[in-house]
Amino acid sequence: MSVDSATVRRIAHLSRIAIEDSEVERLRGELNAILAFVETLSEVDVEGVEPLTSALPMQMKKRADVVTDGGIADEILANAPLREDHYFVVPKVIE
């Protein structure tokens, strides 16, 4: 795949990047070099290689999925402008 000058200008426009006409050829060369490198990656044999999410094997830390009230209702409501019992009081929005 090769990028032409019109494509460079379109990419710059879509990216909201202002480029001068003198920069178009340099950017075209850089984009073509990037695309050429990506094409070489398709030649790598990855048959039998498991996908990775990290370079180091690790397990996600999990906690028990237990429903609680948090036990800190008073702290949560401390800065509320209006409250009633353990609830926020908000203006009525539906008649």
Side-chain angles (χ1 to χ4, degrees):
M1 178 178 204
S2 181
V3 175
D4 60 358
S5 298
T7 305
V8 171
R9 286 186 177 90
R10 178 159 168 73
I11 291 170
H13 174 74
L14 292 173
S15 303
R16 307 292 193 259
I17 298 172
I19 60 171
E20 301 293 326
D21 289 338
S22 60
E23 297 175 294
V24 172
E25 284 305 311
R26 180 182 57 81
L27 293 172
R28 187 174 78 84
E30 289 181 18
L31 288 171
N32 282 327
I34 292 168
L35 291 174
F37 175 73
V38 171
E39 284 181 11
T40 61
L41 292 177
S42 66
E43 298 171 6
V44 176
D45 181 22
V46 294
E47 189 67 34
V49 177
E50 292 292 323
L52 295 175
T53 57
S54 173
L56 301 173
M58 63 175 70
Q59 295 292 323
M60 296 292 291
K61 295 179 182 175
K62 298 179 183 177
R63 61 173 172 79
D65 190 14
V66 178
V67 178
T68 67
D69 66 353
I72 57 171
D74 291 328
E75 292 176 34
I76 292 171
L77 292 168
N79 293 323
L82 294 173
R83 66 181 182 173
E84 186 175 306
D85 294 325
H86 290 296
Y87 300 99
F88 291 96
V89 176
V90 296
K92 186 176 182 181
V93 294
I94 300 176
E95 296 291 327

